[in-house]
Amino acid sequence: MKPILIFYASRDGQAERIARTLAIHLNTSVQLCDLKTPPAQIASSAAIIVVASVRYGRHLPEALQFFKQHAAQLAQTPLAIASVSLSARKGDGSPNGYLKKLIHQHQLSPFAALSIAGTLNYPRYGWLDKQLIRLIMRMTGGPSDGLSCIEYTNWPQLAAFAQKITAYLRQDHADG
Ligand SMILES: Cc1cc2nc3c(=O)[nH]c(=O)nc-3n(C[C@H](O)[C@H](O)[C@H](O)COP(=O)(O)O)c2cc1C
């Protein structure tokens, strides 16, 4: 079987951690790639998975660039997307507003799409970012103390996402 390619876009490391954990769950031939240094061409693969975090209301620019640049290949390859944000901590994993917007804007057709929570790490943020995150947390009923450090990632949700991908690819190959 061709490998599964996992591309990730991360600033503080949580989307990368999620991508690496997903690779372990998939338990097959997987290649990980940081979208900060993307390949010019995407190798032929069984599936493409993109894990990207949200910052300032949008997915990271390198992820948006990737969807734009490789639209044709993404339309022909099974695609799964995991969107990482703090507001996803309130959801059940189904696509939230950020992910729905991304799918719509780039006319994507993922067979699996997950909105998964990331981390809150106030000590890491500069003054301005801290105020923004405090605002987001206040609006969504989370800690706005400017001090908390909490990993909200729902790891069982990620394991279920991996299972969905595995089942889909098994089915896809059984059909083909
Ligand atoms: C500067 C900044 C802006 C952020 N903006 C948003 C946002 O608009 N909406 C949201 O739900 N989460 C937001 N987050 C939370 C991140 O999505 C979350 O911390 C995630 O775990 C970051 O992933 P990364 O470690 O891979 O960069 C923001 C975080 C930072 C530091």
Side-chain angles (χ1 to χ4, degrees):
M1 188 168 129
K2 291 178 203 163
I4 294 175
L5 305 182
I6 302 182
F7 295 92
Y8 61 85
S10 181
R11 281 295 171 280
D12 295 335
Q14 193 65 8
E16 178 176 353
R17 213 164 290 130
I18 289 170
R20 292 190 183 281
T21 307
L22 183 59
I24 294 167
H25 281 305
L26 290 172
N27 195 24
T28 182
S29 167
V30 170
Q31 285 172 21
L32 276 157
C33 177
D34 186 345
L35 283 175
K36 271 188 209 139
T37 50
Q41 292 207 327
I42 306 178
S44 172
S45 59
I48 293 172
I49 304 172
V50 180
V51 182
S53 61
V54 171
R55 243 174 141 92
Y56 309 116
R58 312 182 71 198
H59 290 88
L60 288 172
E62 61 265 35
L64 302 180
Q65 173 64 24
F66 177 81
F67 286 120
K68 208 165 137 187
Q69 193 176 341
H70 299 286
Q73 191 160 354
L74 291 172
Q76 291 167 9
T77 310
L79 171 70
I81 307 172
S83 163
V84 182
S85 66
L86 273 175
S87 32
R89 77 190 194 286
K90 292 281 181 179
D92 61 1
S94 51
N96 62 9
Y98 298 129
L99 185 46
K100 282 186 188 158
K101 189 172 163 196
L102 178 82
I103 289 170
H104 177 73
Q105 280 188 340
H106 293 266
Q107 299 182 321
L108 303 165
S109 305
F111 67 87
L114 172 74
S115 283
I116 188 163
T119 52
L120 172 68
N121 191 346
Y122 281 120
R124 196 183 164 104
Y125 309 145
W127 185 85
L128 201 59
D129 286 347
K130 196 177 280 185
Q131 306 317 313
L132 171 75
I133 303 297
R134 288 182 73 190
L135 184 67
I136 292 174
M137 295 311 277
R138 202 172 296 137
M139 283 180 349
T140 57
S144 56
D145 51 33
L147 298 167
S148 297
C149 193
I150 304 169
E151 183 187 70
Y152 288 104
T153 307
N154 183 332
W155 296 106
Q157 224 171 47
L158 186 72
F161 182 63
Q163 267 177 14
K164 190 170 177 180
I165 294 169
T166 303
Y168 178 89
L169 293 178
R170 210 173 278 146
Q171 183 60 39
D172 209 30
H173 283 274
D175 289 349

